[in-house]
């Protein structure tokens, strides 16, 4: 099972500290999010997997970390000053602003069709460098990390002596003043990109483009976003970015949003290196570039076999970190029944749901659209009980549900059953899990047990170089559920046997390790834990 609605993920992220709205205590800032204690671990783990697969596990890649602020001329010659625009329209009725290609001629706020003609809106954030605000100080926050790679091409080549084909990988922040940021992490104004610029001999570009498409689909699969949930969109010529000869967009099936781009893989030809080069006329460029009188470098590669300079073609796999985190969470999310429900309790909750929906149908306080949505959702849940019982919570959180008195009765019937018979579990790949291991003492008022559990947690965090947590704030069953919800693959319990105070002396210095997915438990010597867990994390 995967998430059935984005709200499930948004609510989990907020509740458990994966992602918070930016500047929340001041009312937030649209399109800006902060990653909390669990979110930063998950995001860093996703980036680490990308770096590992693309830099450490290949022989043809270098890394780079270029600055966010760059000389304005970079954005002049990259084409962004002139073409990095979205079509903006104003609604004359309610004065809201929209991206023309997202709204089909009707204002989503008030429904009016009285809209202005679309006009280009440049999405780069501008700022000034230095204390004097004249035009010479103008700079932009980079809208893609890619340009940092292109302008460093000659530096990397000179310092590494690479031969074609080779790539440069970079992860970093990018900024876009999106007209309508929306859908949580999906469309934001500040985000991170994981980009590769892969330099190849002209003529080999199309074959490399296909290879990178396969490679990237394989990687998403390896981090838990299966191939069958991604469709490849071969971007038609009239939709291509100004630099692209051909682009494949990987479209992940996000809940509620449908297929949306998680990564673009573009054939950028010799456009970028050519654009940033001097002496363009001598370079036999195939791309149409703006004449460059400012560059001090010729961004070429000396082909030792043919003994001449060529401008390499570029294949660019460019993925969004936030969109990746969101997809990984959606795929990993499951609400599942851990124990069968007794028939009479199920009947009671079915009756309470029926009564609630009848009351919704009769309510005059509800907006008709809200009423219909609630009825449709409630009936869908009712048709799939008991599996969809946990969805009673989002049903009761729908707009207007609080005005239905019988909602309280439904919650009263459903909540204890959800707590006892269901769990939310994030089936994250262990390497992505924000917390690898949680350690509990069976009794929190037993000093030796607490001390042993704390010691194991500390040691494992150092040995694994990854986050571990200690928790003693509830019964073991509740602690397991709390860890399942954030995707912790293993929970360790220290008990009387561990301390040699139980009935089984052979279990001294061993602990129970419980597996998140199978919920199976096994006894492992404390001394073997690092190796045992490292093996599983491989
Ligand atoms: N260098 C090429 C480039 O930037 P892009 O298709 O504009 O291409 C690449 O962006 C990726 O960056 C997208 O596939 C998406 O994952 C991510 N991305 C772009 N705009 C975004 C936004 N406003 N919010 C979140 N992610 C975004």
């Amino acid at each position: 099972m995967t998430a059935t609605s984005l709200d499930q993920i948004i609510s989990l992220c907020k509740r458990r500290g994966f992602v918070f709205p930016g500047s929340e205590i001041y009312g937030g800032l649209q399109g800006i999010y902060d990653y909390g204690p669990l979110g930063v671990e998950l995001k860093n783990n996703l980036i680490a997997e990308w770096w590992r697969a693309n830099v450490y596990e290949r022989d043809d890649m270098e890394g780079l970390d270029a600055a966010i602020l760059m000389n304005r001329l970079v954005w002049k010659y990259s084409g962004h000053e002139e073409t990095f625009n979205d079509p903006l329209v104003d609604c004359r009725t309610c004065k809201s602003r929209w991206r023309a290609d997202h709204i089909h001629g009707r204002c989503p706020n008030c429904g009016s069709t009285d809209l202005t003609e679309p006009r280009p809106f440049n999405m780069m954030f501008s700022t000034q460098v230095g204390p004097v605000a004249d035009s010479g100080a103008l700079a932009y926050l980079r809208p893609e990390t890619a340009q940092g790679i292109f302008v460093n091409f000659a530096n990397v080549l000179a310092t590494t002596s690479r031969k074609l084909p080779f790539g440069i990988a970079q992860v970093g922040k990018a900024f876009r003043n999106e007209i309508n940021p929306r859908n949580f992490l999906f469309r934001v104004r500040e985000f991170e990109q994981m980009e590769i610029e892969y330099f190849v001999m002209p003529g080999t570009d199309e074959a490399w483009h296909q290879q990178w498409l396969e490679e990237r689909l394989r990687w998403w699969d390896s981090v838990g976003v299966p191939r069958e949930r991604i469709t490849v969109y071969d971007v038609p010529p009239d939709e291509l970015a100004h630099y692209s000869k051909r682009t494949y967009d990987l479209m992940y099936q996000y809940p509620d949003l449908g297929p949306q781009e998680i990564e673009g893989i573009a054939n950028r030809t010799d456009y970028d290196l050519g654009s940033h080069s001097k002496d363009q006329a001598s370079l036999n460029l195939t791309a149409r570039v703006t004449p460059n009188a400012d560059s001090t470098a010729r961004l070429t590669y000396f082909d030792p076999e043919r003994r001449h300079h060529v401008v390499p073609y570029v294949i660019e796999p460019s993925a969004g970190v936030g969109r990746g985190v969101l997809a990984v969470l959606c795929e990993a999310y499951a609400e599942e029944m851990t124990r069968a429900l007794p028939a009479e309790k199920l009947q009671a909750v079915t009756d309470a749901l029926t009564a609630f929906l009848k009351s919704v149908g009769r309510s005059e306080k509800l907006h008709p659209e809200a009423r219909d949505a609630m009825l449709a959702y409630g009936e869908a849940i009712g048709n799939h009980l008991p599996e969809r019982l946990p969805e009673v919570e989002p049903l009761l959180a729908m707009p207007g549900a609080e005005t239905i008195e019988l909602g309280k009765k439904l919650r009263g019937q459903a909540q204890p059953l959800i707590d006892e018979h269901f769990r939310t579990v994030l089936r994250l790949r262990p390497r992505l899990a924000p917390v690898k291991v949680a350690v509990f003492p069976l009794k929190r008022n037993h000093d030796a047990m607490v001390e042993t559990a704390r010691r194991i947690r500390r040691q494992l965090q150092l040995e694994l170089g990854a986050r571990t947590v200690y928790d003693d704030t509830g019964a073991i069953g509740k602690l397991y559920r709390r860890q399942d919800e954030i995707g912790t693959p293993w929970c360790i319990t220290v008990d009387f046997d561990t301390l040699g105070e139980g009935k089984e002396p052979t279990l001294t210095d061993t602990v129970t390790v419980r597996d998140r997915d199978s919920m199976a438990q096994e006894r492992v010597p404390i001394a073997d834990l690092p190796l045992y867990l490292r093996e599983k994390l491989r």
Side-chain angles (χ1 to χ4, degrees), residues 144 146 176 178 185-188 191 193 195 243 261-264 268 316 318-320 323:
E144 61 171 12
R176 295 184 189 180
E178 295 281 351
L185 297 177
F186 183 79
R187 190 174 302 284
V188 289
F191 55 98
Q193 291 184 316
E195 295 203 300
Y243 49 72
E261 181 186 333
I262 189 170
E263 170 160 356
R268 292 182 78 130
E316 178 198 61
S318 169
R323 288 187 189 183

Side-chain angles (χ1 to χ4, degrees), residues 434-455:
V435 174
K436 303 290 186 258
V437 179
V439 190
F440 317 136
L442 186 65
K443 296 258 175 258
R444 68 174 153 192
N445 52 8
H446 191 299
D447 288 348
M449 223 180 262
V450 166
E451 172 44 36
T452 306
R454 286 191 186 280
R455 180 169 44 82

Side-chain angles (χ1 to χ4, degrees), residues 319-348:
V321 176
R323 288 187 189 183
V325 166
L326 191 55
V328 161
L329 284 171
C330 290
E331 280 303 314
Y333 188 92
E335 283 172 359
E336 55 185 38
M337 203 156 57
T338 49
R339 280 195 296 147
L341 284 176
E344 69 282 4
K345 289 193 174 165
L346 182 59
Q347 192 55 51

Side-chain angles (χ1 to χ4, degrees), residues 5 49 76 138 172 212 221-222 235 239 289 297 377 454 510:
S5 85
E49 286 303 297
K76 173 179 172 184
L138 175 64
W212 273 107
D221 198 77
S222 78
V235 179
E239 288 177 26
V289 298
Y377 190 32
R454 286 191 186 280
T510 68

Side-chain angles (χ1 to χ4, degrees), residues 187-324:
R187 190 174 302 284
V188 289
R189 288 179 167 144
E190 175 178 339
F191 55 98
E192 274 165 283
Q193 291 184 316
M194 305 182 280
E195 295 203 300
I196 295 164
E197 306 303 328
Y198 195 77
F199 302 97
V200 303
M201 273 296 177
T204 64
D205 51 306
E206 291 179 8
W208 276 110
H209 199 193
Q210 297 305 317
Q211 277 207 30
W212 273 107
L213 171 62
E214 284 308 310
E215 185 55 41
R216 296 304 302 144
L217 286 167
R218 236 193 329 268
W219 183 79
W220 281 112
D221 198 77
S222 78
V223 292
V225 183
R227 234 183 151 100
E228 58 275 15
R229 305 265 297 152
I230 294 179
T231 45
V232 178
Y233 180 60
D234 191 351
V235 179
D238 60 329
E239 288 177 26
L240 288 173
H242 61 278
Y243 49 72
S244 172
K245 167 176 162 185
R246 188 170 187 181
T247 295
Y248 297 120
D249 282 347
L250 307 190
M251 312 290 276
Y252 170 70
Q253 188 75 30
Y254 289 96
D256 299 333
L257 312 183
Q260 298 287 341
E261 181 186 333
I262 189 170
E263 170 160 356
I265 306 166
N267 182 343
R268 292 182 78 130
T269 70
D270 53 6
Y271 175 84
D272 300 276
L273 294 181
S275 293
H276 290 303
S277 281
K278 66 176 184 180
D279 301 338
Q280 289 161 323
S282 68
L283 299 180
N284 291 324
L285 296 175
T286 56
R288 275 202 17 231
V289 298
T290 305
N292 191 329
D294 296 299
S295 173
T296 57
R298 219 175 277 112
L299 302 182
T300 57
Y301 168 82
F302 182 70
D303 177 358
E305 274 165 32
R306 290 188 207 116
R307 305 203 57 75
H308 75 139
H309 286 270
V310 290
V311 180
Y313 265 43
V314 175
I315 305 300
E316 178 198 61
S318 169
V321 176
R323 288 187 189 183

Side-chain angles (χ1 to χ4, degrees), residues 38 40 122 137-138 324 402 426 454 458 468 480:
L38 296 178
V40 66
N122 193 291
L138 175 64
E402 71 288 351
L426 280 186
R454 286 191 186 280
R458 214 168 27 245
T468 62
Y480 282 157

